[in-house]
Amino acid sequence: MAVTIKDVARYANVGVGTVSRVLNGGCVNDSTKDLVMKAIKELQFTPNSAAHRLRKNRTGVIAVLVPIINHPFFSEFVEVVEDEAEKFGWSVLIVSSQQKIDKEKSIIEKIHRKEIDGAIFVTHYKHDKADLVGCPFVSIDRPLSESIPYVTSDNYHSTANALEYLISKGCTKIGYVGSKPIVDSEVMQREKAYLDTMAKYGLPPRIVNDVIIHGDERKVVDTFFSDYPDVDGIFAAGFTMAQMTYNVAKEKGYSVPDDLQIVAYDGSFQKWGNSYPLTAVEQPIAEMARTIVKLLADVIDGKEVPVRTVLKAKFVKGNTTK
């Protein structure tokens, strides 16, 4: 005879409603949840997920859209999202959408047709806000509309603190190398923090921040070194930009960190190639992923959620600064 939810409740000595809340990601204290999960495991209980989704008018599928998948930030982010989504009983459709806005439009249409339950958007594109009405979306860094929630790190203060560190280490000719999004994004707070900090200390800005696609970082870095060869400190607005900055600096004969100190935004990927660690602002990628999945779950369930969630990044000292 198949094990039922009543059997699980009896085994765990809790109510059926409590088991149901555990299965549906509801609010249950940790000790009670552990009892229920233990009972589920020992009784080998398998919920009838198809019937549950039918009752809830759900598909059990969400989409996560990123510009590219082979980028350190996005690959780590997607991995955690998949693990976290599994806890809510979701399968994850991964979409790599750089230069392919039609892929994003297709996901929006799938949500309207109830073919998927919701989506996590990391987008470089502008979408008509009218198309987003009624869509369970959450976003990283980008406010898609006034009502769609998003998660970001404390871009401005983390950047300002990193620049203060470069100044404390003797840098007076500090540059900014970045890639500028074409949509409204919290990422632009990094450039603002740079300009404000340079003004605060009376230092002339040395900045190249162009709109590019992932993979074209070399163009920006070459332009920067051509325009500002006397630089002694660089804030790179992303990991791949920092990696390229370091490689090009070495090609040009700079000694890092003796001649040139480098700080990156994004530091979970501190090592590459010859295991040379970056000094960096480290975004809490796993926490961002867990937070955004929970937000999406709440949005799908019709709960009120904050529109903007800011998570604290941390400064990590590596070998690219003194």
Side-chain angles (χ1 to χ4, degrees):
M1 182 180 296
V3 176
T4 69
I5 193 172
K6 291 181 179 179
D7 296 325
V8 173
R10 190 179 304 111
Y11 191 94
N13 197 27
V14 298
V16 171
T18 300
V19 177
S20 178
R21 285 196 297 276
V22 171
L23 293 172
N24 293 302
C27 185
V28 181
N29 68 59
D30 290 341
S31 60
T32 302
K33 183 177 180 181
D34 289 343
L35 287 173
V36 173
M37 295 306 295
K38 181 181 179 181
I40 288 171
K41 182 178 180 180
E42 293 189 1
L43 295 176
Q44 298 182 335
F45 171 67
T46 302
N48 188 338
S49 56
H52 169 74
R53 289 195 297 268
L54 185 61
R55 289 194 300 272
K56 291 279 191 177
N57 193 25
R58 304 279 171 80
T59 66
V61 179
I62 63 169
V64 55
L65 294 93
V66 293
I68 56 175
I69 197 63
N70 62 340
H71 181 286
F73 179 96
F74 300 133
S75 60
E76 181 176 337
F77 175 76
V78 168
E79 182 179 357
V80 179
V81 165
E82 283 191 293
D83 288 344
E84 201 67 18
E86 187 177 358
K87 298 176 184 178
F88 290 88
W90 285 326
S91 297
V92 179
L93 172 65
I94 301 169
V95 180
S96 178
S97 60
Q98 180 165 267
Q99 292 185 305
K100 297 174 182 175
I101 191 172
D102 287 345
K103 284 190 172 185
E104 296 191 0
K105 290 181 177 179
S106 174
I107 293 300
I108 295 171
E109 291 169 2
K110 285 179 182 295
I111 292 176
H112 282 301
R113 293 196 300 265
K114 307 295 185 183
E115 294 176 10
I116 60 176
D117 295 333
I120 296 167
F121 262 58
V122 186
T123 179
H124 291 329
Y125 299 112
K126 293 181 180 178
H127 291 278
D128 189 330
K129 291 182 180 180
D131 292 337
L132 307 181
V133 173
C135 287
F137 283 155
V138 288
S139 174
I140 286 286
D141 288 330
R142 296 168 177 86
L144 298 174
S145 78
E146 295 81 3
S147 59
I148 294 177
Y150 68 97
V151 177
T152 189
S153 58
D154 54 343
N155 290 273
Y156 184 94
H157 291 100
S158 295
T159 299
N161 289 339
L163 291 164
E164 296 269 2
Y165 182 82
L166 282 174
I167 292 169
S168 75
K169 293 300 178 180
C171 295
T172 59
K173 301 173 182 178
I174 302 172
Y176 180 101
V177 185
S179 57
K180 184 181 299 185
I182 60 175
V183 294
D184 186 18
S185 173
E186 294 269 346
V187 170
M188 289 305 297
Q189 291 296 312
R190 302 173 194 174
E191 179 182 337
K192 185 177 188 306
Y194 169 78
L195 293 173
D196 288 351
T197 304
M198 294 302 99
K200 174 182 175 181
Y201 287 92
L203 301 175
R206 294 170 167 81
I207 184 168
V208 177
N209 193 24
D210 293 340
V211 175
I212 62 169
I213 62 172
H214 293 287
D216 284 349
E217 287 82 6
R218 176 85 196 214
K219 296 177 183 177
V220 176
V221 175
D222 282 342
T223 298
F224 178 85
F225 278 112
S226 176
D227 291 349
Y228 307 111
D230 63 339
V231 68
D232 63 7
I234 293 177
F235 182 88
F239 170 77
T240 51
M241 194 67 75
Q243 182 184 34
M244 185 60 68
T245 299
Y246 173 78
N247 290 339
V248 173
K250 299 296 284 185
E251 287 177 14
K252 292 182 176 296
Y254 292 89
S255 175
V256 179
D258 297 328
D259 302 330
L260 174 64
Q261 300 184 64
I262 301 171
V263 175
Y265 205 102
D266 279 343
S268 291
F269 336 102
Q270 292 181 47
K271 297 181 180 179
W272 75 88
N274 62 355
S275 299
Y276 200 94
L278 285 167
T279 295
V281 173
E282 184 177 295
Q283 293 196 84
I285 300 174
E287 184 183 0
M288 294 172 82
R290 288 192 293 268
T291 301
I292 208 166
V293 171
K294 180 60 169 63
L295 279 171
L296 181 59
D298 287 344
V299 169
I300 290 172
D301 285 340
K303 298 177 182 177
E304 287 192 16
V305 298
V307 173
R308 180 175 182 259
T309 299
V310 181
L311 302 178
K312 187 174 179 59
K314 66 179 180 180
F315 185 80
V316 180
K317 171 71 171 65
N319 290 344
T320 53
T321 55
K322 296 177 181 176

